[in-house]
Structures are given as C-alpha cells and as structure tokens.
Amino acid sequence: MKKQTRPTEPEVLQQNAAKWNAAWAALRAKNPSASFNWYQFKGKSAREWILPTLREMNDAHCSFCDAFPLEAITNEPIEHFKPKSDPRFHNEAYSWSNLFYSCDFCQGQKREQWDDQLLAPDATEYSFHHFFIFDFTTGAIAPNPTASFDMQERARITIEMYGLDLDPRRRMRREEARK
C-alpha cells in the first residue's frame, strides 16, 4: 500500500458532489435497501469522469494491494473507503477524499466493512514503512514490530480488512519482486 498523493478534485465532483451526496442520503433514508448507481453528468456516469484521475493518482496500481495494471486484470472498481451503504457515510458517497482506485480482490474483501483505525493510503500521517514490513522472499506483509501499539493495530486491521496477506496477494508480490 504505497503512499498516494491525491490530485485536485475533478470538476464533475466540485460541481456536483454535495448535491449527489444529499440525493444518495435522501434515497437511502427513504429506502435503506436502495442500490447505488453513479449519477450522470453530461452524458457520462460520474464514475467515467473520475476514473482516469483515480487511475493516475497511483499509476494504475490498486490503492491497497498495489496490483498492476488494473485495467488489464479487473473491472477497475472505485472503492468507497467509508462504505456508502453505512448511514454514517451516506453524505460521503461522492466525496473525492472517500474514493480510491481498487482491484476486485481488495474491494471484494473489504465489502461494506468499516473500522475507524483503517489506514488510507493518502492520509498525511501514512507511510508504508512506519506501519508495515514486507518480506521479499515470501511476499508476506505484516505490521511493523518497531511501530507503536496503535500503529501496529491500524496496520493489522488494514491487512485483515483488505486481505493484504492472503496467499494470492503474497504470490502477486513475490512475482512482482522477481521482476
């Protein structure tokens, strides 16, 4: 999970995020089982407008497991870091800071789970080596044992929630390290 720098919010979200967040919150309040669909703007879905900027933000790598290149191996999901189905976060479904470029695997592992300790790769305080260690021989990722207890706990939660140390992720990292 490499450090990411979030670019300027796309114009489509600058103009519409507040309105779309309010509409999504109202829809879920009225119908808690309503399905999420990206709103349309000038003939394209909001997803189509923001995907190129998210992809560029981390060089077409998954924001969480670093799988690459995603456009060749997945549907290029956009991860809602704070789950859009959770009533606490309905007003963040279209918030730029809540959207990440993700692979199907990471998004499928996390689903609609949330923990306040979850690490965001674009957070100011985030640095891979402060939170994690990586074993190049096995592909394993683990909390950094020299980090504080709180930092280790945040790393553990992030690893668990995104499945970052599951065998398929280890194999992928070993293959990348060999290259």
Side-chain angles (χ1 to χ4, degrees), residues 28-100:
R28 286 299 292 231
K30 183 178 178 181
N31 179 4
S33 62
S35 295
F36 181 84
N37 290 303
W38 292 98
Y39 289 115
Q40 298 290 309
F41 181 73
K42 295 184 180 179
K44 292 181 2 184
S45 74
R47 180 188 186 283
E48 292 174 282
W49 285 103
I50 64 176
L51 189 59
T53 307
L54 285 173
R55 188 184 300 126
E56 185 180 306
M57 180 169 85
N58 53 355
D59 301 321
H61 289 251
C62 174
S63 295
F64 306 100
C65 74
D66 297 318
F68 171 81
L70 289 190
E71 62 265 34
I73 61 173
T74 74
N75 294 320
E76 297 184 287
I78 293 176
E79 166 70 13
H80 289 81
F81 189 67
K82 294 178 180 176
K84 62 192 175 297
S85 66
D86 187 320
R88 296 174 294 173
F89 309 123
H90 287 167
N91 281 315
E92 296 187 50
Y94 288 89
S95 296
W96 181 233
S97 62
N98 193 41
L99 304 173
F100 287 89

Side-chain angles (χ1 to χ4, degrees), residues 44-176:
K44 292 181 2 184
S45 74
R47 180 188 186 283
E48 292 174 282
W49 285 103
I50 64 176
L51 189 59
T53 307
L54 285 173
R55 188 184 300 126
E56 185 180 306
M57 180 169 85
N58 53 355
D59 301 321
H61 289 251
C62 174
S63 295
F64 306 100
C65 74
D66 297 318
F68 171 81
L70 289 190
E71 62 265 34
I73 61 173
T74 74
N75 294 320
E76 297 184 287
I78 293 176
E79 166 70 13
H80 289 81
F81 189 67
K82 294 178 180 176
K84 62 192 175 297
S85 66
D86 187 320
R88 296 174 294 173
F89 309 123
H90 287 167
N91 281 315
E92 296 187 50
Y94 288 89
S95 296
W96 181 233
S97 62
N98 193 41
L99 304 173
F100 287 89
Y101 190 60
S102 178
C103 70
D104 293 319
F105 186 89
C106 286
Q107 191 177 49
Q109 281 296 126
K110 181 177 171 274
R111 299 175 315 276
E112 297 293 310
Q113 299 177 80
W114 176 250
D115 190 298
D116 288 336
Q117 296 296 316
L118 193 62
L119 290 167
D122 67 336
T124 306
E125 78 279 4
Y126 177 73
S127 169
F128 180 86
H129 298 291
H130 289 133
F131 287 92
F132 302 104
I133 58 168
F134 172 63
D135 183 332
F136 287 90
T137 60
T138 65
I141 187 173
N144 183 339
T146 65
S148 70
F149 175 79
D150 290 341
M151 291 171 76
Q152 288 183 47
E153 183 64 8
R154 292 186 74 191
R156 184 195 64 73
I157 289 166
T158 302
I159 290 168
E160 183 179 308
M161 203 167 283
Y162 282 104
L164 299 179
D165 198 44
L166 295 177
D167 193 52
R169 300 291 104 185
R170 285 181 176 205
R171 278 194 307 268
M172 176 204 57
R173 286 191 291 271
R174 281 193 312 266
E175 289 172 22
E176 285 301 314

